[in-house]
Amino acid sequence: MREILKKYSGVIYIALMTAVIVVVLNCTNEMGQIFEALRSMDPRWLCCAGAGIVLYVFLRAATIRFYLMRRGHRVSWRSAGGVTGAGQFYSAITPSSSGGQPMQVVWLRRLGIPVSLGTACVCVKFLGFQMAVLLLGGVMGLANARMVNEQLIGFRWLVVLGYLVNAALIMAVLFTIPRTRVVDRMSWAVIRLGEKLRLVKNREETFERFQKMVKEYRDALLQLLHTPLDAVVIFALSIMQVLSYMGVVVCLYHAFGLTGVPAQRILTMQLMLFIAAAFIPLPGAAGAQESGFCIFFRGIFPDSGLMAAMVCWRFFSYYLLILLGLIMMAAARIHRKERRQDPKENSEKSDFPY
């Protein structure tokens, strides 16, 4: 029982937080107002919001596929979609999105991609997205500095702290490229600890394998620096990912029939919220995201429709991504089974060989 609770703790936490929000809304008599507001929404803009999330997921799959193809590993769109779906699903149900990247490396390994290259692929995708978020957030934040200051009185420190956390994560990834001795010392300490805990049998052999993997990982990242055009393409895809994801709240604003606030200001507040929630160590930052939306978007959405906007935004930006992740993983697994059962496919080299 304890193992089951530990394994599904993220899912349980999300379900509990969702239930708490529903109960609170019901007790404050806002549930009726929310349903009334949802019924009045423009379905065309809702479709645009859904299309933005689908485009966001597609662009993430395209980034994985492009990077691997440029490194000599061709994967199908369905396989890249399965890797992307695994990342979206496990990021959503684990604290600080910590489970998404490892699961993507596992899925890539099952595609025949070496762990070192798979790790580099995931890190490059992560770096591109985080840099795009910080760049767009910085530019749009400065362009709308007056509005941000007025909107976030008493909460600006959250954005500053979020910037520091995101910058630290980027530096941590880049730190592994030149600092080989420091990485070796850290890895040796971890391996020795694993040996004491009886998790590692042969520390010399384990350390040698780890050094080889780190070298291949560094070589893969350095190769990207020597192909600037690839870096530009990946960063451009990352910019489009950020805009398609952040643009959901703009679609919801118009879906409520609201006007008066320019789209760039809405995007700015969404970027500030995304950055500020980066350091929340909870699955999907559940609870913090909902509260943050009500703080960051008060005055943009009217008080009578703010809770309805939050519920709708959370559905598109979080729950829909979980659903899409499950669908994409299922489609990839079905594709795998079909190729296994086809004798012609089994006799040929498959891009999903597990």
Side-chain angles (χ1 to χ4, degrees):
M1 183 65 179
R2 185 176 299 176
E3 293 181 358
I4 295 176
L5 290 175
K6 184 177 180 180
K7 182 177 181 180
Y8 297 100
S9 58
V11 177
I12 295 171
Y13 176 79
I14 293 168
L16 287 175
M17 287 303 303
T18 303
V20 168
I21 292 171
V22 171
V23 170
V24 170
L25 292 176
N26 192 45
C27 292
T28 55
N29 297 321
E30 293 197 30
M31 191 64 74
Q33 296 180 9
I34 290 175
F35 283 121
E36 185 65 28
L38 292 176
R39 281 195 293 267
S40 65
M41 295 180 72
D42 189 337
R44 293 171 298 180
W45 282 105
L46 290 178
C47 290
C48 289
I53 292 299
V54 172
L55 177 61
Y56 163 75
V57 173
F58 170 79
L59 290 170
R60 292 184 75 81
T63 303
I64 292 174
R65 193 167 187 266
F66 172 80
Y67 179 84
L68 293 176
M69 286 182 65
R70 296 294 292 173
R71 299 298 171 269
H73 294 268
R74 183 181 179 278
V75 297
S76 68
W77 280 106
R78 193 174 302 186
S79 300
V83 176
T84 302
Q88 294 300 141
F89 177 76
Y90 288 100
S91 291
I93 66 172
T94 52
S96 301
S97 303
S98 57
Q101 288 83 3
M103 285 305 301
Q104 285 185 311
V105 174
V106 171
W107 273 67
L108 288 169
R109 180 66 186 90
R110 292 170 177 173
L111 289 170
I113 307 298
V115 173
S116 54
L117 182 59
T119 304
C121 176
V122 171
C123 288
V124 166
K125 185 167 65 69
F126 169 80
L127 287 172
F129 188 82
Q130 294 300 114
M131 288 180 177
V133 167
L134 294 185
L135 176 63
L136 288 174
V139 171
M140 300 188 75
L142 291 174
N144 299 279
R146 183 177 179 181
M147 181 203 66
V148 172
N149 287 330
E150 294 175 353
Q151 194 78 9
L152 300 180
I153 294 176
F155 296 97
R156 289 191 292 268
W157 65 272
L158 287 172
V159 178
V160 174
L161 183 58
Y163 259 99
L164 293 175
V165 170
N166 280 278
L169 291 173
I170 292 173
M171 295 304 297
V173 175
L174 296 177
F175 180 81
T176 60
I177 298 178
R179 303 286 182 177
T180 54
R181 292 184 179 179
V182 176
V183 173
D184 285 347
R185 290 174 183 173
M186 293 173 61
S187 60
W188 180 251
V190 172
I191 290 172
R192 289 188 63 182
L193 177 62
E195 186 181 41
K196 293 179 180 180
L197 296 175
R198 297 182 180 180
L199 298 175
V200 176
K201 294 181 179 180
N202 189 322
R203 63 182 181 183
E204 285 79 13
E205 182 180 346
T206 301
F207 182 65
E208 184 178 347
R209 289 202 308 267
F210 182 81
Q211 278 188 313
K212 181 181 178 181
M213 186 186 73
V214 170
K215 182 180 181 303
E216 293 173 351
Y217 160 75
R218 290 179 61 253
D219 291 344
L221 288 181
L222 290 172
Q223 188 178 1
L224 182 64
L225 297 178
H226 296 149
T227 53
L229 183 59
D230 290 354
V232 169
V233 171
I234 290 174
F235 188 68
L237 288 170
S238 300
I239 291 287
M240 289 188 286
Q241 289 171 37
V242 173
L243 292 176
S244 61
Y245 181 80
M246 306 297 170
V248 168
V249 71
V250 178
C251 296
L252 296 180
Y253 179 81
H254 291 292
F256 280 98
L258 301 173
T259 57
V261 181
Q264 71 269 17
R265 293 193 175 186
I266 301 174
L267 281 174
T268 300
M269 296 313 301
Q270 174 63 89
L271 283 162
M272 296 299 105
L273 174 58
F274 187 90
I275 293 169
F279 64 92
I280 306 298
L282 297 172
Q289 288 278 15
E290 291 82 358
S291 302
F293 185 92
C294 295
I295 294 171
F296 282 59
F297 286 96
R298 69 184 191 278
I300 295 177
F301 289 91
D303 292 341
S304 59
L306 183 59
M307 295 304 296
M310 181 273 291
V311 170
C312 202
W313 165 78
R314 195 57 170 157
F315 167 77
F316 281 104
S317 65
Y318 185 65
Y319 294 102
L320 182 58
L321 282 175
I322 293 177
L323 179 61
L324 287 175
L326 288 171
I327 292 174
M328 295 166 75
M329 285 192 295
R333 290 183 181 278
I334 292 172
H335 180 57
R336 174 198 65 184
K337 291 180 180 179
E338 289 177 350
R339 295 182 76 93
R340 276 183 170 180
Q341 293 173 359
D342 190 339
K344 293 182 179 180
E345 294 288 349
N346 289 335
S347 63
E348 299 176 358
K349 186 177 180 179
S350 171
D351 68 338
F352 211 131
Y354 74 102

